[in-house]
Each structure stands twice: as C-alpha cells, then as structure tokens.
Amino acid sequence: MLWTPGISRRSLFVASAVGAAGALLPVAARPAAAKSKGRASCGSYRATYHFTVPDQWKNDPQRPVWIDGEYHYYYLYNPDYLTGGTTAGTAWRLATSTDLVSFTDRGIAVPKDTTPNGDVWSGSAVVDTDNTAGFGAGAVIVLATMSPDDNANTQAQYLFYSTDGGRTFTHHGTAPVLPNPGVRDFRDPKVIRDEERGRWVMALAENNKVGFYHSTDLKSWTYVSGFIKDGIGVLECPDLFRITAEGGTRKWVLGVSANGKASGLPSTYAYWTGTFDGTTFTADAPDPQWLDHGWDWYAAVTFEKRDANGTLDPAARYAIGWLNHWDYANTTPTIDCDGFNGTDSIVREITLKRAASGTYYLASQPVAALDAHVSRTVNLGDLEVDGQRVLEYTGTAYELTTEIAWDQLTGAGLQLRRSTDGVRHIDAGIYGDYAFVNRGYTVSPDSSGRWRESRTPFDPSARTVRLRILIDRTSVEMFVDDGRYVHSSEAFPDPADTGIALFTIDGGAVFRNTVIREFRL
C-alpha cells in the first residue's frame, strides 16, 4: 500500500541531519518545455545502463518476442514529438537484444498514418509458427489498437504482418479484425497461443473489464468472457501468462496497468494469481497485488525467458516498464539537454513464490545479464553507522547492494545522489513498519508534491533488510529482500549531485557486505 504523508518525524530527522532547517525541500517545478527544439546548456541526463529512446518520444513497451536468436523489443514511438507533442501520434519502433541490457536500434517497424486509421497504439506481436493467419509459417503478426479520429468510441484492433523476421510490417487492409462494439475503452490487445486447445486467446482492456476472445486465424475473434475489477481506474495493457512456482505448482497470472492512487494504491502493474481454463480467468483473491510500488512503472509487460538456444524457462519471465507516468509525462530535463523523452526500467526477472500464508506472489530481481556489463566494483565491506556516515564514493549511475542489520532502531537507509552541501538527495530505506523511497528532497517530475514517497510493508522484528538499489541519471529502483516489493521512480538530480550517505535513526546498524557496481554498455 502507498501513502502520501506530510512532513513525518523521519522526514524531519533526515532534513535536519543534513542541515536543511528541519523541513522538506520543495519539489522542483517542470524543468523543461515539452516542445523545445534546442538544447539547453546542461550536462547529459541520458541513462547510462537503462534503455532510452534514441530521439523524440517513447511510451508504452510492447511485449518483446524471441525471433532468430534475439529479443525483438517494440515500443510506442512518436517521431514528431518535439514539434507536435504527445498528440502527434505513435508508431512502433524496434530494438533488438540478446541479453536485454544492451539494445540495437532497428528503426520504425510499424509506421503510423499509412491508413485512414491513423497512428498505432499498444498491442502485441506473436510468431505464427503454424501459418494460422495465412501469411506464411513464421510470419510475425501484430495486433494493435488504432482509432481514426482519436475518439474513444472508435478504438478497434487492426492486424499488421511481417515476412522479414519482424523488422518491417504491412497493414492487413483498413478494416479492423475486431471492431469496436460501441464502448468507450476498447484497446491494448494481448495475444497468446493456447496450444492445448489449438487456438489464439486475446486479453483486451475494456474500461473496468478485461475481455477474453478466441480466434483460430488471428483475423476473426469471438468474445468468450470477461474479468471485472472496479476501484483502480481504467484497466490498460492487460497481460496473461502461466508460470511454474517453487515446488512445481503452475499458476496463471492476469496483469493490468491501473491507477490506484485515489485509493492509496500504486499506479503501476496490478496482478492476480489464479486459474485459466482457456476461456475464463478465476482469481485466487478479489484484490490485486502489485509488481511495483513506486510512482513510475507504467504500461509494463512481461515476456518469456529463453536461453541462448531459445529454450523456454517455465519458472521465470522477464518484465520491463515505462519509467514515467501520464500525471507528468512531459516533465523532464532530457528534452532540452538530450533531445529525447523516454526511459525504461531495467529488465527484471520475475518468479512466482509461495508465502507462509499459502498465497502466491511475484518476486523481481534485475536481469542477471547485468553482471556481464560491470565496469567497476567498489567493495566497501561492513560499515557501522550510528546517525550518519558520508561515503567517499561518488557517482551518478550505479547499483548499490547492502544488508542492514540492527538490534534496536527506528529507521535506516541511504541518501543517494546527495549534493555536496547535503541538502539535496534521494532517500531509500526502512522506517518502522515500512520500506520507502522518497524523491522529495531532489528535483522531481511531480510539481504537486503529492507523490514524493512510496511505501511498502516491512516487518521490523526481522532486524535485517536486504536492499538492492539501481541508480541512474533520472531514476531509482529499489528491490527489497527477495523482490516482492520494488519501488521504481523518476527523479532528476543535478548532474553535480553524486554523493552517498548512510543513516540510522534512534540506534545503530551495520551495513553488511556493501557493494557498488558501475556498468558500461
């Protein structure tokens, strides 16, 4: 669960510990105009080891697919962003990768405005191995939403096909393969192959419902059931997959991007574990869990984990999310400084685990291939802290891992991207019965001041916590213990803010096996 508190006792401690007069710094206003054509005189904000769009704009990731020994990662791309803004429409751009850390840009794959239906929104790509659609065995088929006049009542699903391994696509006429039945929200088709029953299944976002459809040829679709959930906003970007848990139990997972901020919940990726009989999804519990609890992990997708030979791992999947939010999508210094707006989370590996209560949950960790891109390791060992300890290390992009252990205290954590005077920083750690990330002491995209701190439950009786924190030029991602709880958020620290400080509140702690790793792509 998330909260948006005022100035807490912990906030006052952290502020006073760095000489900030006992009050939160105001969250900075928007640092750059969305339609700026020039470059400001500033240091680079382009991420060092996260995926960024080469230029202009990106938003929703599209589920990567394994083709010819590499992942094909498509994403929504607006080549006219700097002149037309977000309303100028999107195409699908392609990047390929063998390790999901280093990507090669391949340009636009599904162009916009090639038919009267306009630009191309979110959807999914599949490899039609058995030629069910008639475009040839192995053709890559994209089902995506288009709306000819951007009217919500005209959203419909259209088909594109590729016969060159997913590099370029041709539209299958101008008529939708799944027309709009006259509803407001009807988008983001996610298609999977149901091998057991010899058909395709589509999950479609329909306001407060995920609709399920069947097809044998990817061209004609029949509605078969729906999963309804109210209270977390409009459901978007649905996801449906099966995964094998610890102990061999197989579970189906239904995911959606949803906005639970009004209820004190995340606005990221909500999911339910349950069963799916090919037609109906039945959830284990009515309320969802969340794959991320930060402010900026939206439109996320999960996808198959395969080894170098293409062998599928049934016990794990990968996931990637857009490190931004529609609340402040155009607010970023990367526009003026680097000529782009669009950064993704690190790719993470997710597994299904069973809690002591018997419930199942997804746990996340950064993709293991990061290990092959380490350029420098700083092993700081065990560090004793009682109050505050400023480290000698400085940097703008790195990973920090540590296990904090204590006998008795109220809170402990780190100040990251800390300014020389100690006034500006991003805070991450635990306090009482919650873990947190707070971006309110540095430049943030949120001018309202409401979305400063994200929180997740924490059991203080454990007296230990493992933190793995990925810092890059405009982001922070914190993985707590086994990764059941993750906090991913945008932040825009000054490039000159490179320090780190450790802190404890009402007691001492040992930051065990503290290691910093830097990466080079």
Side-chain angles (χ1 to χ4, degrees):
M1 189 171 184
L2 298 179
W3 295 262
T4 53
I7 299 175
S8 65
R9 180 173 177 274
R10 178 184 58 76
S11 298
L12 288 170
F13 174 89
V14 174
S16 61
V18 296
L24 283 172
L25 289 171
V27 178
R30 174 176 171 169
K35 298 182 181 180
S36 172
K37 298 180 182 179
R39 283 173 170 261
S41 178
C42 55
S44 176
Y45 283 86
R46 188 178 287 275
T48 298
Y49 61 98
H50 288 70
F51 180 85
T52 57
V53 65
D55 55 37
Q56 301 285 343
W57 161 276
K58 80 165 296 294
N59 54 305
D60 295 12
Q62 308 302 304
R63 181 186 61 200
V65 290
W66 181 264
I67 303 172
D68 298 332
E70 59 186 359
Y71 284 100
H72 282 50
Y73 169 44
Y74 304 96
Y75 58 90
L76 296 192
Y77 169 70
N78 180 0
D80 306 306
Y81 173 64
L82 293 180
T83 55
T86 55
T87 60
T90 51
W92 278 32
R93 190 159 179 161
L94 169 65
T96 58
S97 177
T98 57
D99 67 359
L100 299 173
V101 178
S102 177
F103 291 82
T104 300
D105 177 53
R106 303 295 185 183
I108 292 176
V110 185
K112 67 175 180 177
D113 301 328
T114 58
T115 77
N117 302 309
D119 58 324
V120 188
W121 299 358
S122 282
S124 55
V126 296
V127 178
D128 188 12
T129 304
D130 297 326
N131 192 27
T132 64
F135 298 106
V140 183
I141 309 297
V142 162
L143 275 295
T145 303
M146 300 175 75
S147 183
D149 56 4
D150 289 337
N151 186 309
N153 291 325
T154 63
Q155 295 174 13
Q157 319 320 314
Y158 295 80
L159 187 150
F160 298 81
Y161 65 94
S162 170
T163 57
D164 63 358
R167 294 297 180 92
T168 60
F169 288 80
T170 303
H171 64 81
H172 174 56
T174 59
V177 295
L178 182 56
N180 189 301
V183 298
R184 175 175 173 79
D185 299 296
F186 196 71
R187 59 179 179 266
D188 307 341
K190 189 63 60 66
V191 177
I192 63 172
R193 182 67 180 168
D194 184 352
E195 294 291 358
E196 296 176 25
R197 301 166 185 87
R199 64 193 178 199
W200 299 96
V201 175
M202 176 194 292
L204 192 69
E206 303 177 29
N207 196 275
N208 67 338
K209 179 179 75 173
V210 176
F212 295 104
Y213 297 78
H214 288 165
S215 176
T216 58
D217 62 3
L218 294 166
K219 298 175 182 176
S220 301
W221 294 89
T222 302
Y223 176 80
V224 293
S225 72
F227 178 86
I228 296 175
K229 176 59 180 178
D230 292 306
I232 53 175
V234 175
L235 309 183
E236 297 188 291
C237 304
D239 196 12
L240 180 67
F241 61 89
R242 183 161 54 179
I243 188 170
T244 302
E246 295 173 322
T249 300
R250 303 183 78 187
K251 282 284 186 181
W252 280 91
V253 176
L254 175 65
V256 295
S257 284
N259 189 341
K261 285 181 176 178
S263 305
L265 295 169
S267 182
T268 59
Y269 180 108
Y271 71 90
W272 296 262
T273 61
T275 60
F276 182 66
D277 62 6
T279 297
T280 302
F281 179 83
T282 303
D284 291 334
D287 292 326
Q289 301 182 70
W290 299 82
L291 200 49
D292 199 286
H293 291 74
W295 303 119
D296 303 303
W297 204 69
Y298 202 71
V301 292
T302 72
F303 54 103
E304 295 174 339
K305 179 185 178 184
R306 294 183 180 272
D307 64 18
N309 298 317
T311 303
L312 178 68
D313 184 349
R317 285 178 75 82
Y318 292 125
I320 188 171
W322 180 41
L323 269 174
N324 205 340
H325 196 280
W326 288 112
D327 284 351
Y328 37 69
N330 294 312
T331 303
T332 172
T334 62
I335 300 169
D336 280 342
C337 296
D338 302 279
F340 80 97
N341 182 357
T343 302
D344 284 338
S345 73
I346 203 72
V347 174
R348 61 177 71 168
E349 182 175 319
I350 60 172
T351 54
L352 187 65
K353 297 189 176 185
R354 189 172 187 267
S357 63
T359 60
Y360 287 87
Y361 65 91
L362 296 176
S364 302
Q365 290 296 332
V367 63
L370 271 175
D371 294 347
H373 294 272
V374 175
S375 60
R376 180 190 179 203
T377 299
V378 180
N379 192 335
L380 300 176
D382 297 345
L383 303 173
E384 295 184 1
V385 181
D386 191 348
Q388 186 179 93
R389 179 169 178 171
V390 179
L391 304 184
E392 293 184 3
Y393 175 86
T394 59
T396 59
Y398 53 86
E399 171 201 79
L400 188 150
T401 56
T402 190
E403 181 178 10
I404 309 174
W406 63 88
D407 290 326
Q408 183 175 354
L409 52 64
T410 303
L414 306 95
Q415 295 176 347
L416 306 162
R417 296 299 304 273
R418 186 176 185 268
S419 60
T420 302
D421 60 8
V423 172
R424 297 184 303 275
H425 42 85
I426 301 168
D427 294 348
I430 58 97
Y431 183 83
D433 60 357
Y434 62 85
F436 69 91
V437 169
N438 190 314
R439 64 184 179 185
Y441 301 95
T442 193
V443 180
S444 161
D446 170 40
S447 61
S448 73
R450 299 179 63 193
W451 319 119
R452 297 181 303 211
E453 181 171 288
S454 55
R455 297 184 182 180
T456 53
F458 177 74
D459 180 7
S461 67
R463 297 183 181 178
T464 183
V465 64
R466 297 190 310 277
L467 301 180
R468 185 175 183 181
I469 308 173
L470 276 61
I471 289 286
D472 213 329
R473 294 181 184 273
T474 61
S475 63
V476 55
E477 297 161 279
M478 180 175 77
F479 297 76
V480 182
D481 287 329
D482 69 349
R484 180 175 187 174
Y485 298 114
V486 186
H487 301 243
S488 300
S489 292
E490 274 191 311
F492 308 131
D494 188 298
D497 294 349
T498 61
I500 301 176
L502 314 179
F503 67 85
T504 63
I505 301 172
D506 297 336
V510 178
F511 289 65
R512 296 174 177 166
N513 193 27
T514 304
V515 177
I516 295 171
R517 300 197 302 175
E518 299 172 353
F519 306 100
R520 180 179 295 115
L521 303 188

